[in-house]
């Protein structure tokens, strides 16, 4: 959602358009009825970008009846596409409706002013609504009362497991339930999935038990406060037992706040996710268990704020092999496992580095798809290098 909104800000600038405040998707798996101003601070969004792009709340009445050009912008497109193909639509239309906003703008090879605008939009202008910001701050304060905490994006939720076809460690009944959800969701195109093949390729989120092993191997003590940034964990306590035994200070928004405090957010998945986003960005350490949209957005935001520590599990498939060896008795927990896990993650803790380009040998759309997303790592476009008096390089966000 955040990436799509900010890309449309940049596209509006490129094609000299007035941007209408984006409509949020109400037809997704979550069936959330939230509008833009429920999730984001609409007034601040409009005013803070006023010098870059004109933004209006609604389509002007005199244009409500005009014929609109409904366009699926091409994925990962650059300046030429928008300046030539899309801008040419102004000859026949006064309104262009973007049918999709996800990944419509290239990650790389855009003018510096456009890249900086994306960062201003994402990390400065796109604040959450006042009620979400206030509740998020309350949750952060309550977590910090326990000490420096880990935000664990435990993507072990029903929708994720159904979509990915990952059923390792689940019962036959649970696997059947997830398959039925996948079969019944029309816009999920892939129906027949081999769970073990998915897992071996690193396409599955880590299970709560695997997360417990990972945290122990990384050396986090049992009294480490952990915030679970997620919706309802599939199977509940039945699958959380090992993680809870090793790390009893497991918290969530539902544990930190009363039903009354959360009441206005409870029926809105995007607003609940926004609370998790705030607590995750503010954490001492962020650990995602699956490289999804939320994980990528939080990692990028933490980089923008000064490369705060984010431990990204090493392509998961390598960890899975180690965990399977432990399960088969071929590798012991303790030093043997910890040594390997620590080595795998030495360079995966959010330290400064330039954004990764495409994988060598890839072509066409696969080439763009293999690039690291702009919003995962805004370096170097939105961070500058400054030399101190001791000639020590430091990075800071460009406002």
């Amino acid at each position: 959602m955040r990436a799509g909104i900010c890309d449309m800000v940049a596209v509006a600038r490129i094609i000299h358009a007035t941007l209408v405040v984006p409509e949020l998707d109400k037809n997704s798996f979550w069936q959330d009825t939230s509008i833009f101003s429920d999730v984001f601070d609409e007034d601040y969004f409009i005013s803070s970008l006023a010098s870059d792009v004109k933004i209006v709340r609604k389509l002007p009445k005199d244009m409500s009846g005009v014929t609109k050009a409904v366009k699926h912008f091409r994925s990962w497109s650059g300046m030429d596409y928008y300046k030539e193909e899309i801008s040419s639509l102004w000859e026949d239309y006064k309104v262009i409706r973007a049918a999709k906003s996800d990944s419509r703008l290239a990650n790389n090879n855009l003018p510096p002013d456009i890249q900086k605008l994306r960062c201003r939009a994402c990390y400065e202008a796109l604040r959450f609504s006042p009620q979400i910001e206030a509740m998020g701050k309350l949750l952060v304060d309550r977590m910090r009362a326990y000490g420096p905490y880990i935000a664990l994006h435990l993507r072990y939720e029903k929708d994720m497991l159904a979509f990915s076809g990952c059923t390792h460690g689940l019962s036959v009944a649970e696997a059947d339930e997830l398959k039925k959800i996948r079969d019944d969701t029309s816009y999920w195109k892939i129906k027949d999935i081999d769970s073990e093949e998915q897992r071996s390729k690193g396409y599955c989120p880590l299970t709560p038990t695997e997360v417990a092993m990972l945290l122990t191997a990384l050396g986090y003590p049992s009294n480490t406060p952990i915030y679970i940034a997620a919706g309802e964990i599939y199977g509940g306590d039945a699958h959380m037992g090992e993680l809870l035994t090793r790390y009893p200070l497991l918290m969530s928004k539902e544990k930190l706040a009363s039903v009354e405090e959360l009441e206005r957010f409870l029926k809105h998945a995007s607003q609940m996710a926004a609370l998790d986003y705030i607590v995750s960005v503010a954490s001492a350490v962020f650990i995602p268990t699956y490289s999804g949209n939320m994980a990528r957005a939080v990692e990028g935001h933490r980089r923008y704020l000064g490369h705060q520590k984010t431990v990204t599990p090493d392509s998961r498939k390598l960890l899975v092999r180690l965990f399977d060896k432990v399960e088969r008795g071929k590798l012991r927990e303790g030093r043997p496992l910890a040594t390997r896990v620590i080595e795998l993650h030495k360079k995966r803790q959010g330290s400064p580095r330039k954004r990764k380009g495409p994988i060598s040998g890839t072509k066409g759309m696969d080439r763009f798809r293999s690039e690291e997303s702009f919003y995962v790592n805004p370096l170097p476009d939105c961070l500058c290098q400054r030399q101190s008096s001791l000639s020590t390089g430091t990075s800071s966000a460009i406002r």
Side-chain angles (χ1 to χ4, degrees):
M1 190 184 289
R2 293 179 67 91
I5 291 168
C6 297
D7 276 359
M8 290 305 104
V9 169
V11 168
R13 169 75 171 267
I14 293 169
I15 65 174
H16 306 291
T18 293
L19 178 68
V20 179
V21 168
E23 297 175 7
L24 305 187
D25 181 12
K26 296 180 176 60
N27 299 313
S28 68
F29 180 89
W30 300 277
Q31 299 291 299
D32 191 341
T33 60
S34 299
I35 61 174
F36 189 94
S37 58
D38 291 328
V39 182
F40 302 107
D41 188 332
E42 187 173 278
D43 290 339
Y44 186 79
F45 178 68
I46 293 171
S47 63
S48 63
L49 292 171
S51 61
D52 298 296
V53 176
K54 182 179 179 181
I55 303 173
V56 296
R57 288 177 174 78
K58 294 181 179 180
L59 193 66
K61 288 183 178 180
D62 61 343
M63 290 188 174
S64 60
V66 303
T67 302
K68 303 175 183 65
V70 180
K71 186 73 174 177
H72 282 76
F73 295 161
R74 193 177 65 201
S75 298
W76 299 295
S77 293
M79 296 293 289
D80 290 345
Y81 171 78
Y82 285 106
K83 283 190 169 183
E84 296 170 11
E85 184 170 335
I86 300 304
S87 290
S88 68
L89 294 172
W90 292 134
E91 297 174 10
D92 300 305
Y93 300 95
K94 291 184 177 181
V95 179
I96 301 173
R97 181 179 178 85
K100 285 191 172 184
S101 63
D102 57 314
S103 304
R104 302 297 125 174
L105 195 58
N107 293 307
N108 304 302
N109 302 316
L110 295 176
D113 65 306
I114 295 298
Q115 298 290 57
K116 289 177 173 60
L117 175 57
R118 293 168 93 177
C119 270
R120 278 199 300 280
C122 192
Y123 306 124
E124 304 292 340
L126 201 58
R127 289 181 182 174
F128 290 113
S129 62
Q131 62 269 21
I132 289 177
E133 288 282 355
M135 189 69 235
K137 183 180 184 302
L138 187 65
L139 294 173
V140 169
D141 290 343
R142 289 176 182 177
M143 273 306 304
R144 285 178 173 166
Y146 291 95
Y149 66 91
I150 293 174
L152 180 65
H153 185 45
L154 188 59
R155 198 67 172 91
Y156 204 72
E157 299 151 303
K158 184 182 288 186
D159 68 296
M160 182 70 247
L161 297 177
F163 171 76
S164 63
C166 297
T167 59
H168 180 78
L170 300 180
S171 68
V172 173
E174 288 172 326
D176 288 344
E177 179 189 24
L178 295 174
K179 186 178 188 309
K180 186 177 187 307
I181 293 172
R182 186 166 65 253
D183 290 342
D184 292 345
T185 306
S186 60
Y187 46 84
W188 291 350
K189 302 303 180 185
I190 301 175
K191 304 299 183 182
D192 295 319
I193 300 175
D194 185 322
S195 175
E196 289 307 312
E197 182 180 347
Q198 284 283 93
R199 184 169 177 268
S200 67
K201 291 180 178 179
Y203 297 156
C204 291
L206 295 177
T207 69
T209 297
E210 290 168 342
V211 170
M213 295 169 68
L214 171 66
L215 294 175
T216 301
L218 288 172
Y220 290 105
S222 60
N223 63 349
T224 302
I226 298 176
Y227 177 84
I228 302 295
E232 184 179 354
I233 301 303
Y234 188 61
D237 291 344
H239 296 302
M240 290 289 287
E242 184 65 22
L243 181 57
L244 188 56
T245 297
R246 298 194 191 197
Y247 294 95
L249 283 179
L250 282 184
M251 298 296 165
S252 64
K253 48 193 173 296
E254 293 82 2
K255 288 183 178 180
L256 291 169
S258 67
V259 173
E260 291 74 23
E261 288 173 317
L262 290 175
E263 185 175 11
R264 68 186 303 172
F265 311 110
L266 286 172
K267 294 182 179 180
H268 302 283
S270 58
Q271 296 181 46
M272 294 288 275
L275 295 175
D276 284 340
Y277 186 98
I278 291 171
V279 183
S280 295
V281 169
S283 64
V285 183
F286 175 63
I287 303 179
T289 63
Y290 183 81
S291 184
N293 292 328
M294 170 83 161
R296 290 193 291 265
V298 171
E299 179 180 353
H301 203 147
R302 290 171 64 83
R303 285 184 179 280
Y304 181 79
L305 293 174
H307 300 285
Q308 297 168 351
K309 188 171 183 178
T310 298
V311 180
T312 51
D314 192 292
S315 67
R316 292 184 306 280
K317 62 184 179 182
L318 299 177
L319 281 175
V320 163
R321 292 173 190 167
L322 293 177
F323 295 152
D324 284 348
K325 285 184 178 181
V326 172
E327 191 175 320
R328 294 195 300 266
K330 294 185 176 181
L331 181 66
R332 289 186 298 107
E333 280 203 75
R335 182 172 292 180
L337 177 63
T339 299
R340 298 191 187 189
V341 169
I342 290 170
E343 182 62 31
L344 284 175
H345 295 86
K346 276 185 176 179
K347 297 182 179 180
R348 303 181 67 88
Q349 301 192 31
S351 57
R353 60 170 176 78
K354 288 186 177 181
R355 190 166 56 255
K356 295 176 183 177
I359 295 174
S360 178
T362 54
K363 298 180 180 180
M365 283 298 171
D366 286 338
R367 181 174 176 80
F368 294 115
R369 192 174 287 110
S370 70
E371 293 178 335
E372 186 172 33
S373 167
F374 177 86
Y375 295 105
V376 172
N377 184 5
L379 182 67
D381 310 88
C382 298
L383 299 169
C384 60
Q385 296 295 320
R386 297 189 301 191
Q387 296 296 319
S388 72
S389 59
L390 297 177
S391 298
T392 301
T394 60
S395 62
S396 63
I398 293 177
R399 299 297 194 260

